[in-house]
Amino acid sequence: MNELLERIKTLWNKLYFNKYQEKLDEFINFLKTKKDFITYMPEDKFWYKKGLLYSTYVDLFAGNFEKMTEKLDYLKDLGVTILWLLPILESPMKDQGFDISDFYNVRKELGGNESFFKFVEVAHDKGIKILFDIAINHTSIEHPWFQEAKKSKDSKYRDYYIWSIDDKKYSQARLLFKGMVNSNWTYNPETNDYYFHRFYEIQPDLNYKNPDVLVEMIKVFTFWKEHGVDGFRMDAAPFLWKEEGTNCENLIQTHWILKIFRASLDYLKEGTALIAEANQPPKDVVAYFGNSDECHVAYHFPVMPKIFLSIAESNPNYIIDTLSEKITPPIPKDCQWFVFLRCHDELTLEFVEPEERKKMLKYYLLDNRWIFREGEGIAGRLYNQMNKDYRKVLLAYSVLFSLKGTPINYYGDEIAMENNEEFYKKMTEKIGHKDSRFFNRGPFDDKKMLEALNSSETDSYKVFHGIKKMIEIKKENEELFSMEPIYENVNGIFKVSRKLEKKSLIIYNNLTPKSQIIDNIEIQAYSYFWKVDL
């Protein structure tokens, strides 16, 4: 354990040029004091490598944590082993909770901290791990730190944020919300200068060049770890450190910060997973694993659009090429990819080739209102994007489960939920501009859930029970799923094979519009077959 403290000290001194030694000593003492207060530790510290992750908003899925607790049996029945709660902390909700105004309190309308703590206990009893979002790059403008910082240049919290006399600094930092935000700087009339933000102007970036910010964030992690949270999805991880003359993304100092986060949490007690939300090319994302000393998990963003493209063109090579070592380098043994079809954001096209982007827009932009970031993404529900063809929805899931990594189910996709027009209109009025992601962020459809559970003739039922069967097979054969897969394209069939001693698992995904025979097995158009030999 002393080795971890020494690692923290070394990284701190690299980051801050051997300065702030008194603050470093205070921070180390904080960790030593807190260590004895951490009692919870997952039985399996590699829990993030198994099962199924379910991603949802508490308010939209159930209303609050009391009702969320009642729905845990539904999730357990589906086969969920990890629950990823989208933003639950105090927020004015101008960006669906990613604009945090208090890092230490769950929103009152969700039931507050005590309700959340009880929920975590029940979830753990049912074998479900809990992780949630923390935006580590920024706060809300309504956070007390910013409220104080914007009033005076002499404020105690002034250096918690980034200020400039004009809007010219960090000119190479790209606009992340093209078409919705015109500048990374916003004028503050109270001090006659500008503050920096990579996202909306309501989300000022934190200044990690101030070590107080680093320490505050680790104290936040520690608080929630103490109360049984199993992991943290670190929103906007690549943007933490800013340097003039760079694009302010993926800088080495950002990695040092994340390594300090990891060493601190491991020192307190192992088993808390850090998940990097880094929408970057795989060669850049792999850096966030470090040498198993940084993040435990990262999202494989680039393979997601390739799944859609492969289905549209009946060509598995898009997936196979993306997962080859020339695009996706190997990752440390203890680390894991999270793989997904849809999420709370858009189907991102940011890192596909221009020609592929044109194809994706042609195949999947079925309504021009779904467009996001001027064509760099397509919003909407999976069922809508697949043109309400339940076969393609299930095929996409089978492809997803075929890949190496822990699969994510975005709430409602398991019951073929559709775009929510009413919610999109309501949120457009609330925030004052059109954000197409609100199509796929509507309230959970309880009516469709009942259909999924009881009405065998509905698409909701077919999708739900198809996915549930896949999860059952995966949970029964986790050892096989942990093995390195072999990916093949056999006449448009995406064949994925795994072996462990005498056991084998082969998943055949027919991406073509015609029935085909392979290995003496007939597979219908846009269908799949899982073959397990034990």
Side-chain angles (χ1 to χ4, degrees):
M1 287 303 174
N2 286 334
E3 180 188 331
L4 290 170
L5 293 181
E6 289 304 314
R7 187 182 301 168
I8 291 168
K9 291 176 184 177
T10 300
L11 289 164
W12 178 289
N13 287 325
K14 286 167 72 174
L15 189 63
Y16 297 119
F17 302 100
N18 294 305
K19 295 190 295 185
Y20 309 115
Q21 292 304 303
E22 189 175 329
K23 290 180 186 290
L24 173 58
D25 292 340
E26 289 174 2
F27 172 51
I28 295 296
N29 285 333
F30 164 79
L31 291 176
K32 288 179 177 178
T33 303
K34 277 291 178 184
K35 186 173 175 59
D36 294 334
F37 287 91
I38 307 292
T39 55
Y40 170 72
M41 179 179 176
E43 290 179 14
D44 178 6
K45 68 178 183 179
F46 301 118
W47 55 267
Y48 51 86
K49 301 185 79 170
K50 302 178 178 111
L52 174 78
L53 192 151
Y54 192 95
S55 169
T56 190
Y57 294 98
V58 174
D59 53 341
L60 297 173
F61 184 70
N64 56 42
F65 276 109
E66 185 179 343
K67 292 177 182 173
M68 190 81 189
T69 304
E70 294 169 4
K71 281 191 171 177
L72 282 173
D73 285 334
Y74 163 78
L75 296 173
K76 186 178 180 181
D77 179 57
L78 177 62
V80 173
T81 57
I82 307 166
L83 188 55
W84 161 20
L85 303 174
L86 288 153
I88 63 173
L89 301 181
E90 281 291 358
S91 166
M93 298 298 289
K94 297 290 178 62
D95 185 31
Q96 207 76 15
F98 288 100
D99 47 333
I100 297 171
S101 56
D102 183 347
F103 286 105
Y104 290 95
N105 281 291
V106 169
R107 298 202 304 278
K108 290 182 182 65
E109 66 268 24
L110 300 182
N113 284 9
E114 289 307 314
S115 184
F116 173 68
F117 299 154
K118 289 176 186 174
F119 167 79
V120 171
E121 284 185 26
V122 177
H124 284 168
D125 288 344
K126 294 181 183 294
I128 297 175
K129 300 290 186 294
I130 300 296
L131 64 91
F132 71 57
D133 277 279
I134 292 187
I136 58 173
N137 176 70
H138 49 263
T139 71
S140 163
I141 55 172
E142 295 185 28
H143 194 290
W145 297 342
F146 189 76
Q147 287 295 302
E148 288 298 315
K150 74 186 184 74
K151 290 177 184 176
S152 168
K153 294 181 180 181
D154 298 322
S155 166
K156 172 186 174 182
Y157 296 105
R158 183 71 176 179
D159 289 339
Y160 275 48
Y161 299 91
I162 300 164
W163 304 87
S164 177
I165 58 170
D166 56 35
D167 59 357
K168 309 302 180 193
K169 199 174 182 182
Y170 305 138
S171 59
Q172 293 180 37
R174 64 193 171 108
L175 282 176
L176 297 174
F177 281 176
K178 280 194 299 188
M180 291 179 286
V181 176
N182 298 320
S183 173
N184 286 326
W185 293 96
T186 290
Y187 181 65
N188 175 44
E190 293 181 67
T191 50
N192 191 31
D193 52 10
Y194 295 78
Y195 63 88
F196 188 72
H197 54 88
R198 292 307 302 271
F199 296 89
Y200 291 122
E201 66 277 3
I202 57 165
Q203 293 159 303
D205 276 30
L206 288 164
N207 176 23
Y208 279 88
K209 290 181 179 178
N210 176 357
D212 291 338
V213 171
L214 174 69
V215 173
E216 287 280 5
M217 198 55 66
I218 292 171
K219 286 181 177 179
V220 169
F221 287 136
T222 303
F223 174 81
W224 294 108
K225 180 184 176 81
E226 242 182 301
H227 287 94
V229 175
D230 296 282
F232 302 100
R233 175 186 178 268
M234 300 183 294
D235 187 58
F239 311 112
L240 301 186
W241 196 270
K242 286 79 175 172
E243 283 291 343
E244 190 62 70
T246 74
N247 67 357
C248 301
E249 296 180 30
N250 305 313
L251 300 184
I252 187 63
Q253 294 91 338
T254 290
H255 291 286
W256 294 342
I257 291 166
L258 296 176
K259 287 175 190 288
I260 292 173
F261 288 172
R262 170 69 180 270
S264 301
L265 291 172
D266 280 356
Y267 171 77
L268 293 170
K269 204 175 280 290
E270 287 189 320
T272 303
L274 290 176
I275 300 112
E277 191 261 339
N279 184 3
Q280 306 281 327
K283 62 182 175 60
D284 292 331
V285 177
V286 165
Y288 286 85
F289 295 119
N291 295 312
S292 286
D293 62 350
E294 199 167 322
C295 297
H296 302 75
V297 183
Y299 296 84
H300 203 309
F301 280 94
V303 77
M304 181 259 291
K306 300 304 175 75
I307 295 172
F308 286 80
L309 200 50
S310 292
I311 292 173
E313 297 198 343
S314 306
N315 183 3
N317 288 341
Y318 288 111
I319 300 169
I320 295 169
D321 290 347
T322 301
L323 296 177
S324 68
E325 288 194 13
K326 66 182 178 182
I327 306 253
T328 303
I331 65 175
K333 180 172 67 74
D334 292 344
C335 297
Q336 180 74 322
W337 291 112
F338 278 174
V339 289
F340 60 101
L341 296 168
R342 295 295 297 112
C343 66
H344 59 287
D345 283 331
E346 76 284 5
L347 194 170
T348 181
L349 305 177
E350 197 170 1
F351 295 108
V352 301
E353 296 297 323
E355 192 58 38
E356 292 176 342
R357 186 177 298 156
K358 286 180 186 175
K359 289 179 178 180
M360 286 291 290
L361 292 169
K362 173 187 170 186
Y363 298 136
Y364 293 106
L365 186 65
L366 306 182
D367 183 327
N368 286 331
R369 295 176 304 157
W370 302 355
I371 202 158
F372 188 74
R373 278 199 297 205
E374 298 178 352
E376 288 187 355
I378 305 169
R381 282 274 173 186
L382 177 65
Y383 186 61
N384 291 89
Q385 290 172 341
M386 291 298 178
N387 208 14
K388 302 185 181 181
D389 186 337
Y390 81 89
R391 298 174 307 160
K392 288 186 178 180
V393 171
L394 283 172
L395 176 62
Y397 268 97
S398 180
V399 171
L400 179 71
F401 276 76
S402 304
L403 308 182
K404 189 168 177 62
T406 305
I408 298 174
N409 181 90
Y410 181 57
Y411 81 100
D413 283 350
E414 79 280 6
I415 57 172
M417 256 179 71
E418 299 185 39
N419 287 351
N420 193 310
E421 295 278 347
E422 187 180 330
F423 189 73
Y424 169 72
K425 290 173 184 173
K426 172 186 165 185
M427 293 307 297
T428 298
E429 289 174 12
K430 181 176 179 177
I431 65 175
H433 60 79
K434 293 179 179 178
D435 184 334
S436 55
R437 295 174 300 175
F438 288 117
F439 278 118
N440 46 275
R441 292 179 177 178
F444 186 70
D445 192 330
D446 285 311
K447 182 184 174 186
K448 280 223 168 194
M449 181 186 74
L450 291 174
E451 284 183 358
L453 295 174
N454 303 306
S455 303
S456 58
E457 75 284 356
T458 65
D459 284 1
S460 297
Y461 183 96
K462 292 168 186 172
V463 170
F464 181 86
H465 285 85
I467 295 170
K468 184 178 177 181
K469 183 64 178 175
M470 293 180 210
I471 298 166
E472 287 171 357
I473 296 172
K474 182 177 188 295
K475 289 176 80 172
E476 289 166 3
N477 299 278
E478 282 291 2
E479 274 193 305
L480 269 172
F481 273 90
S482 71
M483 303 308 293
E484 203 64 39
I486 297 170
Y487 302 119
E488 299 175 75
N489 177 2
V490 184
N491 298 322
I493 292 176
F494 182 40
K495 179 181 176 182
V496 183
S497 310
R498 290 173 170 88
K499 284 187 178 180
L500 176 62
E501 297 172 350
K502 293 182 179 179
K503 300 176 183 177
S504 70
L505 167 71
I506 303 175
I507 301 178
Y508 303 92
N509 301 291
N510 185 2
L511 308 185
T512 73
K514 61 183 180 181
S515 176
Q516 293 202 66
I517 295 175
I518 178 172
D519 298 341
N520 296 316
I521 302 166
E522 183 174 6
I523 306 173
Q524 299 301 314
Y526 299 125
S527 190
Y528 55 90
F529 184 83
W530 290 27
K531 182 184 177 187
V532 183
D533 289 324
L534 301 177

